[in-house]
Each structure stands twice: as structure tokens, then as C-alpha cells.
């Protein structure tokens, strides 16, 4: 039987989601926990990858079990067994053909900036105190929806077949000393959100214009885009599946 697992994690202590032979990852930590509790080797498949230090308030993965599981009991056992920076919300029986990565129709990320130094946000938001023109940044963010090729925001030497992504929404919101950039798309390239945010910050600093921003997208050249903002401000916040409500 196949099961989806819904979880969240603070990515500070991990070298991303994906298993790495010489570094701690969320995937490896879950594999070990499930394998111990189910007394068999379990290999989970995630809905996507997050980089070192990136957080997730909603992540899905799937795994297979030869026997029917008491899901509520397993959720409780996993939360007791796992470290405090990983939380399991639900385990859901799905069809054998269901796939956490390939069946996802939309993914949403948030990038958090705090403009006032706050020790309680350390490691959870990027402290950036310079004044930003948020209205202009939102004008630039709207331009993203007019394009599909985002090679300019992708990590170089990445192994992908296409740089095309469909962006559904991209918007900045501001509340007191907090800025949050929310972006949804059918898929994301490696480092894409962090480099988009860095380039939009350059717009907000009036270092580049809206025309410059659009020309950067058209250039397909990562060197022309802005800097990559720190990982600890980035959150994977939502993954959508047609058969999960």
C-alpha cells in the first residue's frame, strides 16, 4: 500500500531535503525513523527538494508498506521518535499510482524579511534594514507572470530538461516590520525563488528598473540576475494535489 505523509520541518540543522552521503538531510532522518518503527527498510520520495537551511511548513512525501498501517498511531509514534525540528501532521492512504512529486499541480513558497532586528526571528527570517520600494517590487513581480523561461534565476550547471515554469501568483505583502514574498508555480528551478527575491530587492533599492528586470528574464543569463538571498528566510508552504483536499 502507498501512503502520503504530510510534514513540516525547520531546515536549520539539515543540508536540505534530499539524501546526501556525508550530511544530515530530512529525507534520511525520516527514512531511518520509519524503518525503525515499521521494522523494515523504508525509502520515502519527497514532493521536491529544498536546499540547505530552507524550511517547510508543508511538505509531502510518499512511501510504500506491505501491510496496512494504523496511521493515527504511526503519526504519534513518529512525532515521539523524530527530532523536535520535524513534525508529522498526517499519513494518508492513496492509490498505488499516486506520486508525491509528479502529481503535484502547484507549489507555493514564502520568503520572509524582517526590517527590524528581532532575536526571535534569527534563523527564521532575513534581517534586512535598508528601505525598499515595495510597490515597485510588486510591479516587477507581476512581470514574472508574463514569462515561462526562468533560466536566468536557475542555479548554473543544474540537470534539468527545461527551464520552463508556469507562475500563478507572485506578490509582496507588508505588515509593520515584516515583508513576505509569496510565489506559486507548477514547478521551481534550483535556487529560483532566492534569486528572484534578490533581483526584486535590487528593484526595491532602485538599482535596476522594471525594464531592466524584464530584460534580465529575457537574457536567460544567471549572471545578469541579482544575488541569492539567504536560505533561512525561505519556506515551502503549500503543495497542491487534485485528489487531496
Amino acid at each position: 500500500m502507498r501512503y502520503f505523509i504530510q510534514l513540516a520541518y525547520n531546515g536549520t540543522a539539515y543540508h536540505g531535503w534530499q539524501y546526501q552521503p556525508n550530511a544530515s538531510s530530512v529525507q534520511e532522518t525520516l527514512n531511518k525513523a520509519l524503518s525503525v518503527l515499521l521494522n523494515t527498510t523504508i525509502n520515502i520520495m519527497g514532493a521536491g527538494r529544498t536546499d540547505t537551511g530552507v524550511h517547510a511548513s508543508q511538505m509531502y512525501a510518499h512511501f510504500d508498506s506491505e501491510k496496512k498501517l494504523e496511521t493515527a498511531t504511526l503519526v504519534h509514534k513518529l512525532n515521539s521518535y523524530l527530532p523536535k525540528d520535524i513534525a508529522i501532521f498526517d499519513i494518508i492512504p492513496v492509490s498505488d499510482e499516486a506520486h508525491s512529486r509528479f502529481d503535484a499541480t502547484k507549489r507555493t513558497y514564502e520568503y520572509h524579511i524582517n526590517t527590524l532586528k528581532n532575536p526571535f526571528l534569527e534563523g527564521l527570517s532575513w534581517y534586512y534594514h535598508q528601505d525598499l520600494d515595495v510597490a515597485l517590487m510588486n510591479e516587477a513581480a507581476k512581470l514574472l507572470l508574463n514569462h515561462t523561461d526562468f533560466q536566468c534565476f536557475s542555479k548554473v550547471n543544474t540537470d534539468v530538461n527545461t527551464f520552463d515554469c508556469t507562475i500563478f501568483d507572485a506578490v509582496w505583502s507588508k505588515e509593520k516590520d515584516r515583508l513576505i514574498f509569496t510565489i506559486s508555480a507548477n514547478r521551481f528551478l534550483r535556487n529560483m525563488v532566492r534569486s528572484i527575491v534578490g533581483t526584486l530587492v535590487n528593484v526595491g533599492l532602485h538599482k535596476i528598473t522594471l525594464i531592466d528586470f524584464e530584460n534580465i528574464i529575457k537574457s536567460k543569463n544567471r549572471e545578469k540576475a541579482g544575488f541569492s538571498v539567504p536560505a533561512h528566510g525561505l519556506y515551502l508552504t503549500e503543495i497542491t494535489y487534485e485528489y487531496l483536499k
Side-chain angles (χ1 to χ4, degrees):
M1 295 187 63
R2 178 157 292 184
Y3 293 87
F4 269 32
I5 183 167
Q6 183 189 0
L7 65 144
Y9 53 86
N10 180 321
T12 303
Y14 301 98
H15 285 71
W17 163 266
Q18 191 80 4
Y19 172 80
Q20 298 183 45
N22 299 310
S24 178
S25 70
V26 180
Q27 184 182 37
E28 178 188 24
T29 305
L30 280 171
N31 279 342
K32 288 181 177 178
L34 282 165
S35 297
V36 168
L37 294 175
L38 298 178
N39 197 30
T40 187
T41 300
I42 299 292
N43 292 301
I44 61 173
M45 167 65 70
R49 300 178 181 181
T50 54
D51 291 336
T52 299
V54 175
H55 315 293
S57 58
Q58 184 183 78
M59 177 62 150
Y60 281 97
H62 75 254
F63 67 95
D64 295 326
S65 173
E66 293 184 359
K67 59 183 179 181
K68 186 175 181 180
L69 303 176
E70 177 52 54
T71 56
T73 300
L74 184 55
V75 168
H76 177 73
K77 287 182 176 179
L78 279 169
N79 279 324
S80 298
Y81 187 89
L82 286 164
K84 294 179 180 179
D85 50 14
I86 301 176
I88 308 300
F89 297 137
D90 203 2
I91 297 175
I92 308 156
V94 293
S95 73
D96 291 344
E97 292 75 34
H99 199 287
S100 60
R101 179 183 173 189
F102 298 137
D103 292 354
T105 57
K106 184 173 76 169
R107 296 165 171 84
T108 300
Y109 282 88
E110 289 181 0
Y111 194 85
H112 291 230
I113 297 175
N114 55 300
T115 57
L116 183 67
K117 189 175 182 180
N118 186 335
F120 300 105
L121 294 176
E122 181 61 31
L124 300 172
S125 179
W126 179 39
Y127 171 49
Y128 190 78
H129 59 83
Q130 294 192 52
D131 289 335
L132 296 171
D133 187 337
V134 179
L136 191 63
M137 291 160 67
N138 265 323
E139 288 298 310
K142 290 178 184 177
L143 297 175
L144 292 167
L145 278 63
N146 299 332
H147 299 271
T148 55
D149 188 325
F150 295 103
Q151 184 173 354
C152 69
F153 298 126
S154 174
K155 194 168 186 176
V156 296
N157 300 322
T158 187
D159 183 22
V160 295
N161 295 323
T162 176
F163 294 98
D164 284 358
C165 308
T166 301
I167 295 180
F168 305 119
D169 298 289
V171 64
W172 288 91
S173 59
K174 183 177 182 179
E175 184 175 345
K176 296 182 179 179
D177 58 344
R178 303 291 300 277
L179 287 174
I180 298 177
F181 178 62
T182 304
I183 184 167
S184 299
N186 65 329
R187 64 189 291 265
F188 287 91
L189 306 168
R190 288 192 65 190
N191 207 54
M192 178 174 165
V193 180
R194 291 165 60 196
S195 57
I196 286 176
V197 172
T199 310
L200 289 172
V201 166
N202 283 339
V203 172
L205 292 170
H206 296 166
K207 289 185 176 180
I208 60 174
T209 66
L210 294 179
I211 294 175
D212 293 333
F213 184 78
E214 190 142 36
N215 285 336
I216 287 169
I217 299 173
K218 293 176 181 177
S219 76
K220 303 182 183 181
N221 186 341
R222 178 65 185 92
E223 292 183 359
K224 293 185 180 298
F227 63 103
S228 182
V229 291
H232 63 259
L234 184 60
Y235 295 75
L236 174 60
T237 60
E238 186 178 8
I239 305 173
T240 303
Y241 300 90
E242 292 183 353
Y243 46 75
L244 291 185
K245 301 298 181 183

